Amino acid sequence: MGNQQGKASLGGRLTKKDIERLQRRFNRLANNSGKVSISAFESMVELGGNPFIPRIFKLFDESGDGMLSLEEFTRALEYFGQLDVEEEQYKFAFRIYDEDKDGLISSEELFNVLQTLLGNTYPDAQLEQVVHNTMSEFDRDGDNKLDLEEFKALLSRQDLANKFSMSM
């Protein structure tokens, strides 16, 4: 894209022009099929190799076919456009971590997120210790699961800013 490349937050700061540009990009990736695979999205430089792309993709793949239609993609953009309130950003991040959609983040789900973020950088035993320490510190009710309020205490504002931005 010949335009200047900047950093646009997905939290309510996407302009109509940004959305139109992203929709044109979608159409190029779809190769006239009307759908784009997760691998096409993962290869986009704009998404910066964000390890949460597969989880986010799954949240918006309403048909469950492993592809995003233009309609699903547009709904996702519209949703991100509404994430201008910090509380909504926390709720969305929570949905990404909460794989089984039970409204709680288990130690297993937290472990899976750490594996996603860190890959094979650290041995499982070390990651398990991090999860244990995290749960000990932030799980106020002792159920070995994080609810939204406990999760918000864990996740910093800077984490939100990093996860809800992309290069344009």
Side-chain angles (χ1 to χ4, degrees), residues 95-114:
R95 285 179 60 201
I96 293 170
Y97 280 65
D98 183 17
E99 290 178 285
D100 64 8
K101 300 176 185 173
D102 68 351
L104 297 167
I105 298 170
S106 68
S107 53
E108 181 180 312
E109 289 168 324
L110 187 56
F111 178 84
N112 291 341
V113 167
L114 287 175

Side-chain angles (χ1 to χ4, degrees), residues 23-43:
Q23 286 177 332
R24 283 193 303 273
R25 181 69 181 271
F26 175 91
N27 288 331
R28 282 194 299 273
L29 290 170
N31 290 325
N32 299 320
S33 71
K35 293 194 173 205
V36 176
S37 69
I38 180 84
S39 61
F41 277 105
E42 288 176 320
S43 69

Side-chain angles (χ1 to χ4, degrees), residues 81-162:
Q82 297 170 12
L83 290 177
D84 56 349
V85 177
E86 186 176 283
E87 180 70 17
E88 293 306 313
Q89 293 175 5
Y90 279 114
K91 287 178 182 177
F92 183 68
F94 187 87
R95 285 179 60 201
I96 293 170
Y97 280 65
D98 183 17
E99 290 178 285
D100 64 8
K101 300 176 185 173
D102 68 351
L104 297 167
I105 298 170
S106 68
S107 53
E108 181 180 312
E109 289 168 324
L110 187 56
F111 178 84
N112 291 341
V113 167
L114 287 175
Q115 276 191 320
T116 298
L117 289 171
L118 301 172
N120 294 325
T121 308
Y122 298 97
D124 285 355
Q126 193 171 4
L127 293 180
E128 287 169 5
Q129 186 61 47
V130 169
V131 168
H132 174 75
N133 293 344
T134 301
M135 287 296 185
S136 295
E137 183 175 349
F138 293 98
D139 177 23
R140 291 183 228 139
D141 59 10
D143 65 353
N144 205 33
K145 295 182 179 190
L146 300 177
D147 62 26
L148 179 60
E149 292 305 312
E150 293 166 333
F151 176 75
K152 285 168 46 178
L154 166 65
L155 200 63
S156 74
R157 285 189 178 100
Q158 184 62 41
D159 289 332
L160 282 179
N162 289 338

